[in-house]
Amino acid sequence: MPTFQAPRGTRDLLPADRVLWARAEASLRDLAARYGYREIETPLFEASAVFERGVGAVTDIVEKELFRVSPSRGEEREPWALRPEATAGIVRAYIEHGLHTQPQPVRLSLYGAMFRYDRPQAGRYRQFYQWDIEAIGDAGPAIDAEIIELGSRFYRSLGLAMVEARLNTIGDPVCRPGYLKALTAYYQTRIGEFPDLARTRLVSNPLRLLDSKDPAMVEINRHAPSMWDHLCDPCAEHFAAVRVHLDALGIPYRLSPEIVRGLDYYTRTTFEFVRPGAEGQQDALGGGGRYDGLVELLGGKPTPAIGFALGMDRIVHAMQEATAEGGAASADAAVPIAVIVGADPDDTVTRLRIATDLRATGLAVRADLARRKLGRQLEAAVRDGARYAVIVGDELPDGLVQLRDLGAASQKPVAVSALAALLRRKASAAGPG
RNA sequence: GUGGCCUUAGCUCAACCGGCAGAGCAUCGGAUUGUGGAUCCGAAGGUUAUGGGUUCGACCCCCAUAGGCCACCCCA
């Protein structure tokens, strides 16, 4: 066993892994830019209160899962926590920097690491990665549809066509209390059938009982009153309008009353992206909703907003499975067009100098600097995926090297001074693959 | 945070009832000194996750710890 290992719940992404990650990240950056969601970066940690107030102090998230950090010294008094999600920090930044003075809505995109302190298992890490999209300052249903369509497109761009959008509405502070009253009243009539854990939850967060996976609760929920029957007129109109927009865009979705968000600042639209057939609890690949109450809760003016977050760890996992099922393997960006090898293993100066000169012209080349014999150098070049080898040998005093086509196993002498232009032409001619 | 299963070389795994820790792949080197993913030969790689205990003797049995996985809790 090595002396040190990655901390519990974290892992190293080795170069072979990073290829897939980079592809997903490139796709999301491209999409965000084209949809007008501009990148923002917030600190990895914030005052704990940002999350506690935003999320609710009595929830498991804060009591159990918040990754708290405290300064080991100094005058800082405020307890900090690593960000468990992106929204609270983004909203804090929106308020702090007066982004309400910019044209509304402000469309924002953030990709990065999030942290939670709970017991790890596959697809659930203490350090994990999320892509977060927020549109702050627009109450209309069209922006809801834009964001859901953006999420759908992202999955499709990665070849995850099976991902399914699920849509719901949870009302707003006008109509939800009445619904909660009706729901609680119904649950009271059947509390005798409740599993133990569900009983405590009936008090703390009855809405959450709707997405319980306990068979008894599923049966009870079958006859539970529906939020949809209790919506106030504005909420009902909003919900209908979101669906009109999605239908107009041709975005398939399933209406799913169990998609709830347990927190008070969530309003109206909620949605998730799931992968049917995923093992265990790993089927949710992302989700979001409207949070018209959060900006005010964190000290800003009342401001409508909607956002969503996609878990990259699970997305990459899904991509790996899709690749294993016969999809195309992705290309490694670090494959060189040529490797500079030499007959004299010790002459690393010449090899490094030629490689450096070629790289200065923009080419992707690598010099073999391990002092091994020529055969080993060629072998390594082939296994690196290089198409050419530049062989430095006795011809060098005449200004010549051998340019060897590793695929065709043929070679010809080339002037060192002509190498860059020649390789550039080869690189652009054949293209990747 | 609760319960269960698991941990042998970088990776995938062997090792009889408790009796000298091995293989394949990968890595590095060699196969008459300037040419390849194959083949052959060789080397290196281990306190059997860690620490205790039982035993003449422990990869094997017992306890603890760490880590992984699974189911809960939860999923902002």
Side-chain angles (χ1 to χ4, degrees), chain A residues 340 347-355 392 396:
Chain A
I340 318 302
D347 186 10
T348 51
V349 168
T350 303
R351 295 202 291 279
L352 183 56
R353 183 170 51 74
I354 291 177
V392 180
L396 189 64

Side-chain angles (χ1 to χ4, degrees), chain A residues 119-149:
Chain A
R119 196 146 159 182
Q121 50 184 276
R124 174 187 246 190
Y125 302 95
R126 285 181 172 180
Q127 174 174 334
F128 56 102
Y129 295 84
Q130 284 191 341
W131 180 36
D132 198 83
I133 285 287
E134 311 287 350
I136 306 176
D138 188 339
I143 194 81
D144 300 25
E146 174 181 285
I147 279 190
I148 293 168
E149 193 272 335

Side-chain angles (χ1 to χ4, degrees), chain A residues 38 61 64 85 90 97 100 120 142 193 235-236 259 282 323 372 399 410 433:
Chain A
R38 304 174 70 199
I61 296 152
K64 199 178 76 182
E85 49 99 31
I90 289 174
H97 301 289
H100 65 280
E193 306 161 52
C235 282
I259 306 295
Q282 311 288 319
T323 302
R372 50 193 163 193
S410 64

Side-chain angles (χ1 to χ4, degrees), chain A residues 168-184 207 210 225-239 264 266-269 290 292:
Chain A
N168 189 29
T169 180
I170 56 170
D172 68 5
V174 173
C175 53
R176 199 184 316 148
Y179 171 64
L180 284 179
K181 204 166 289 180
L183 181 64
T184 305
L207 210 54
L210 285 173
S226 168
M227 180 74 234
W228 300 344
D229 298 328
H230 290 75
L231 292 175
C232 57
D233 289 346
C235 282
E237 285 167 21
H238 186 93
F239 190 39
D264 287 344
Y266 274 104
T267 53
R268 297 183 172 171
T269 308
R290 182 161 278 284
D292 291 343

Side-chain angles (χ1 to χ4, degrees), chain A residues 235-308:
Chain A
C235 282
E237 285 167 21
H238 186 93
F239 190 39
V242 170
R243 294 165 62 182
V244 166
H245 282 81
L246 287 174
D247 292 339
L249 295 174
I251 299 298
Y253 57 89
R254 181 189 295 192
L255 291 175
S256 302
E258 77 277 6
I259 306 295
V260 297
R261 302 259 134 175
L263 308 178
D264 287 344
Y265 60 78
Y266 274 104
T267 53
R268 297 183 172 171
T269 308
T270 60
F271 57 93
E272 283 184 2
F273 295 99
V274 303
R275 189 168 60 122
E279 70 282 3
Q281 305 285 310
Q282 311 288 319
D283 60 336
L285 293 185
R290 182 161 278 284
Y291 51 95
D292 291 343
L294 181 59
V295 177
E296 186 176 12
L297 201 60
L298 289 180
K301 296 179 188 171
T303 307
I306 182 168
F308 77 138

